[in-house]
Amino acid sequence: MQEPLLGAEAPDYDTFPEKPPPSPGERTRVGATQNKRVFLATFAAVLGNFSFGYGLVYTSPVIPALEHSLDPDLSLTKTQASWFGSVFTLGAAAGGLSAMVLNDLLGRKLSIMFSAVPSAAGYALMAGARGLWMLLLGRTLTGFAGGLTAACIPVYVSEIATPGVRGALGATPQLMAVFGSLSLYALGLLLPWRWLAVAGEGPVLVMILLLSFMPNSPRFLLSRGRDSEAMRALAWLRGADTDIRWEFEQIQDNVRRQSSRMSWAEARDPHMYRPILIALLMRFLQQLTGITPILVYLQSIFDSTAVLLPPKDDAAIVGAVRLLSVLIAALTMDLAGRKILLFVSAAIMFAANLTLGLYVHFGPKHLTPNSTMSLEGMPLGGTEQPLATPTSYITLVPLLATMLFIMGYAMGWGPITWLLMSEILPLRARGVASGLCVLVSWLTAFALTKSFLLVVVRTS
């Protein structure tokens, strides 16, 4: 998920002005009353991130249900299930790349509102699916909407927020995406798979309704020469009694400094291409941790593993832990260096995955629903590895290992890769580099998500 652009101190890297005006008489003070409008506009926008997180993990409870569907047109094989789970990432890659054009063509707000069209259509197709093609098309459309919002919303939020709350509001896109995933896991305990798609329409409709009353980004309006409209938008966001002249002038100056783009000659400069290569490598390695397949197939993973609790409950618990981990990481990330956190995060994820792998290979076997032998009637010594029983607490290992993995990811490789992008990429290269990072990230996620179920089947 994209994080908002956070500028470093150097002029070549500064994205948005953070310092107050030098003269105390010119200082603009924005109180809580004025910030309420910023909070409202932010909430309206990040509902798109909620839908993104909801749509990303939609397949977690749905694939197990469809694999046992009595309808032959909807009963999924492992290959079909792998496409259903992974095609979202292809849509997200297309949506992220489209954001590079739509952000400047339509503006931040209208781009977010535009994402409601493919999102609503995608959920409608999945809710009324009568065949695999409807499921795949619906999944692709929701992925496109998710990739578009993940790229547009952080920019919109960072451009409307005041310096005093920009850092806090900058964390809301990621938090809302995680909350959307948790909501899907929780609703999966109560609703059948078609109604889960219907429920996904709700946040989309609320988002487009609220955003229709919100202003566009003042920075975008200034970049289009619509100065008077930009002034009105900034006045609405800051409040009628706030002196916005200094901030308006700072945004104008910032727009002028970022008007030029990187040339091919500049791209050969090590100061340009080295940060881009580092950012691309970080995005590749972030997806290589396996976070996307785990989230997409979370319930399927628990279904195929001997676990103490029902797989749906395990998935909901992991979703709650993920939300808590992101909150903790947002509060503590600046207490340690970026590099240290990356090493610690990787070590935790490695230990968690190793534990889960050893458990699956050597631990108790999963009793499939088709088994005709009851646990009580199984003869002693009948197998080398006994079937797991409901009272065997060793079957908590998959849940605990997955929780540990999620916590490790949230404290390092999840947020820091996006933060480093904003800190190391020069402004003139940021547009191109962000598009390349989106492409590398989602194509890597597609390769892993598409192959995950097939590899599991071959090795089981």
Side-chain angles (χ1 to χ4, degrees):
M1 236 69 69
Q2 276 192 330
E3 293 298 311
L5 303 177
L6 306 175
E9 291 297 327
D12 288 340
Y13 292 81
D14 185 28
T15 308
F16 303 106
E18 294 286 345
K19 296 181 180 180
S23 172
E26 298 175 348
R27 183 174 294 116
T28 300
R29 180 185 177 93
V30 180
T33 303
Q34 288 79 12
N35 276 333
K36 286 182 179 179
R37 294 182 177 181
V38 176
F39 296 154
L40 178 60
T42 299
F43 174 75
V46 297
L47 284 172
N49 288 103
F50 181 96
S51 296
F52 172 78
Y54 188 97
L56 176 64
V57 302
Y58 173 76
T59 52
S60 177
V62 174
I63 285 179
L66 292 180
E67 285 180 334
H68 300 94
S69 174
L70 299 178
D71 186 346
D73 293 329
L74 293 174
S75 181
L76 300 182
T77 64
K78 287 297 181 184
T79 300
Q80 292 171 336
S82 69
W83 277 109
F84 185 44
S86 62
V87 76
F88 181 95
T89 58
L90 290 181
L97 292 177
S98 299
M100 296 175 62
V101 177
L102 294 178
N103 247 338
D104 292 330
L105 182 65
L106 300 179
R108 288 65 160 129
K109 188 189 85 165
L110 290 181
S111 295
I112 300 169
M113 295 178 71
F114 174 76
S115 72
V117 177
S119 184
Y123 283 123
L125 281 169
M126 291 188 289
R130 291 294 180 266
L132 178 63
W133 72 270
M134 296 180 71
L135 292 173
L136 295 181
L137 180 57
R139 186 89 170 127
T140 304
L141 288 173
T142 54
F144 180 88
L148 180 59
T149 55
C152 295
I153 291 174
V155 179
Y156 178 75
V157 171
S158 62
E159 289 182 355
I160 66 172
T162 59
V165 298
R166 188 172 292 143
L169 293 183
T172 56
Q174 184 185 17
L175 290 175
M176 283 297 284
V178 174
F179 186 61
S181 298
L182 175 58
S183 299
L184 185 281
Y185 293 137
L187 289 175
L189 301 174
L190 307 172
L191 300 177
W193 66 271
R194 290 189 188 275
W195 283 102
L196 286 177
V198 174
E201 300 276 13
V204 177
L205 297 177
V206 175
M207 178 192 74
I208 198 168
L209 178 64
L210 290 178
L211 276 179
S212 62
F213 297 100
M214 300 298 115
N216 214 323
S217 159
R219 186 185 182 281
F220 166 75
L221 295 173
L222 281 172
S223 69
R224 285 289 179 258
R226 295 149 64 178
D227 292 17
S228 59
E229 190 176 346
M231 179 70 80
R232 289 195 300 271
L234 191 61
W236 187 90
L237 289 166
R238 301 297 181 257
D241 299 331
T242 305
D243 184 3
I244 61 172
R245 289 174 297 176
W246 178 83
E247 184 178 3
F248 186 80
E249 291 171 358
Q250 291 296 306
I251 298 175
Q252 279 184 317
D253 179 65
N254 186 254
V255 169
R256 284 192 294 268
R257 286 197 293 114
Q258 297 185 46
S259 59
S260 58
R261 296 182 180 274
M262 180 182 64
S263 65
W264 285 109
E266 290 176 312
R268 294 193 293 268
D269 186 345
H271 291 91
M272 283 288 184
Y273 71 75
R274 285 177 182 171
I276 295 175
L277 291 178
I278 292 172
L280 290 173
L281 179 63
M282 294 295 289
R283 294 299 297 149
F284 173 74
L285 292 176
Q286 184 199 48
Q287 287 297 335
L288 213 61
T289 63
I291 183 64
T292 301
I294 287 177
L295 295 177
V296 169
Y297 301 123
L298 188 56
Q299 187 173 322
S300 297
I301 292 172
F302 288 130
D303 270 331
S304 61
T305 310
V307 289
L308 180 63
L309 299 175
K312 286 186 177 182
D313 293 349
D314 286 326
I317 292 172
V318 170
V321 169
R322 184 183 173 210
L323 179 61
L324 179 62
S325 300
V326 170
L327 287 170
I328 295 175
L331 297 174
T332 61
M333 190 170 59
D334 287 332
L335 299 180
R338 312 280 193 255
K339 191 173 181 180
I340 294 176
L341 281 177
L342 288 174
F343 278 118
V344 173
S345 172
I348 292 174
M349 288 189 290
F350 172 78
N353 279 340
L354 180 62
T355 301
L356 183 58
L358 292 175
Y359 174 85
V360 171
H361 189 70
F362 296 109
K365 297 300 182 181
H366 176 63
L367 183 62
T368 62
N370 295 327
S371 176
T372 58
M373 182 180 296
S374 66
L375 291 173
E376 293 80 2
M378 192 186 84
L380 294 175
T383 60
E384 291 183 7
Q385 299 172 22
L387 294 171
T389 66
T391 57
S392 179
Y393 288 100
I394 194 175
T395 55
L396 283 173
V397 169
L399 175 61
L400 296 176
T402 307
M403 290 166 57
L404 184 64
F405 175 88
I406 293 295
M407 292 175 65
Y409 177 82
M411 70 180 294
W413 280 92
I416 290 179
T417 48
W418 284 114
L419 182 60
L420 282 181
M421 274 183 56
S422 63
E423 290 179 340
I424 67 175
L425 290 177
L427 287 175
R428 297 182 68 178
R430 190 166 290 165
V432 174
S434 296
L436 290 174
C437 287
V438 167
L439 186 62
V440 168
S441 177
W442 287 116
L443 289 182
T444 306
F446 169 75
L448 295 176
T449 311
K450 178 67 178 69
S451 61
F452 179 83
L453 289 181
L454 302 179
V455 171
V456 169
V457 170
R458 292 192 183 101
T459 56
S460 59

